[in-house]
Amino acid sequence: YGFDLLTDSDVFNNAGASDEDIEKSKIIKYSAVTEAVEESRLIVKIATEQGGNLQPITLGQRESFEAYLSEIKDAGVRITVINYLPDILRIQMKIYRDPLVLDENGTSIRTGKKPVEDAINHYFKNLPFNGELVLAHLVDELQKVEGVKIPHIVQAESKWIDVSVGDYGNFQPVEVKTIPISGYFKIENFNNLSYVV
């Protein structure tokens, strides 16, 4: 971002720039390219990172990115860029707990931390960009948490940006697995976790 391409190439002309300037110009931190199922088109999902959180690039950055794609793509290749806010994930869970280890709020009696929430955050942090959320794998991760006897997902739903309205659509159920439309998820909150004995 901020550097032009060398003539007739996909290489940036950043001669004379400092390593710091070059590093700052790398605005796309995550990307995934897939083929559209119903038509001849490439889908390019992108995100940047700010303060450890994934987010879309700015409008100005997107204009530059699309100009870059237009310059380097093969003639006739149609591309759609997905640069959305994260898909919002809502998970309702019943956590059967060991009352000697976790209290009724899911707090570790010994450490004062919330190990179930930490494990959920860890699972999503390690999910590859545009990676498939598999609910069974999330349960597997939660079964490793000290004090968790049975992690039971009651309901999982996600919603994403609906381009036709320019905002999030309605929540849709996640039955077994799903790939985020934006390429990444954000947990709505942890209000729907209940801890039972």
Side-chain angles (χ1 to χ4, degrees):
Y1 185 58
F3 294 101
D4 202 359
L5 293 170
L6 293 170
T7 304
D8 296 327
S9 83
D10 62 353
V11 178
F12 289 100
N13 182 5
N14 55 15
S18 70
D19 289 344
E20 185 181 332
D21 286 341
I22 292 171
E23 196 56 40
K24 281 197 293 190
S25 74
K26 298 176 181 177
I27 57 172
I28 307 294
K29 304 296 184 187
Y30 300 89
S31 67
V33 180
T34 58
E35 289 185 82
V37 177
E38 313 236 339
E39 59 181 319
S40 179
R41 177 181 298 277
L42 291 178
I43 308 295
V44 180
K45 296 181 183 182
I46 58 171
T48 191
E49 191 171 21
Q50 194 80 358
N53 295 317
L54 276 65
Q55 64 184 36
I57 60 175
T58 67
L59 183 59
Q61 291 170 332
R62 181 181 173 133
E63 289 173 351
S64 292
F65 180 68
E66 288 178 344
Y68 162 76
L69 286 179
S70 178
E71 186 71 27
I72 67 156
K73 73 179 182 76
D74 292 331
V77 175
R78 296 186 308 166
I79 296 176
T80 297
V81 176
I82 304 290
N83 177 47
Y84 296 162
L85 289 166
D87 290 26
I88 303 295
L89 187 67
R90 179 189 291 165
I91 302 176
Q92 182 182 355
M93 296 188 74
K94 191 178 281 190
I95 306 293
Y96 292 85
R97 65 183 174 92
D98 180 345
L100 298 175
V101 179
L102 296 177
D103 72 11
E104 68 279 1
N105 299 312
T107 304
S108 169
I109 295 168
R110 191 167 37 84
T111 68
K113 294 183 178 179
K114 297 266 200 171
V116 171
E117 293 177 19
D118 291 344
I120 292 171
N121 284 329
H122 181 262
Y123 173 82
F124 284 101
K125 183 82 173 160
N126 289 318
L127 194 65
F129 186 74
N130 206 44
E132 186 172 58
L133 161 64
V134 178
L135 295 177
H137 295 169
L138 177 58
V139 168
D140 292 344
E141 195 68 30
L142 293 173
Q143 288 176 326
K144 300 174 191 172
V145 174
E146 183 182 12
V148 172
K149 292 184 172 182
I150 305 168
H152 173 62
I153 296 176
V154 176
Q155 184 177 32
E157 302 173 299
S158 69
K159 66 179 180 177
W160 50 89
I161 296 294
D162 180 346
V163 181
S164 64
V165 297
D167 201 359
Y168 283 97
N170 296 322
F171 277 101
Q172 300 296 317
V174 176
E175 298 296 334
V176 176
K177 59 185 181 174
T178 189
I179 294 176
I181 301 299
S182 65
Y184 56 111
F185 288 106
K186 177 181 177 186
I187 302 293
E188 180 181 46
N189 55 49
F190 294 107
N191 296 343
N192 295 317
L193 300 183
S194 62
Y195 295 88
V196 296
V197 178

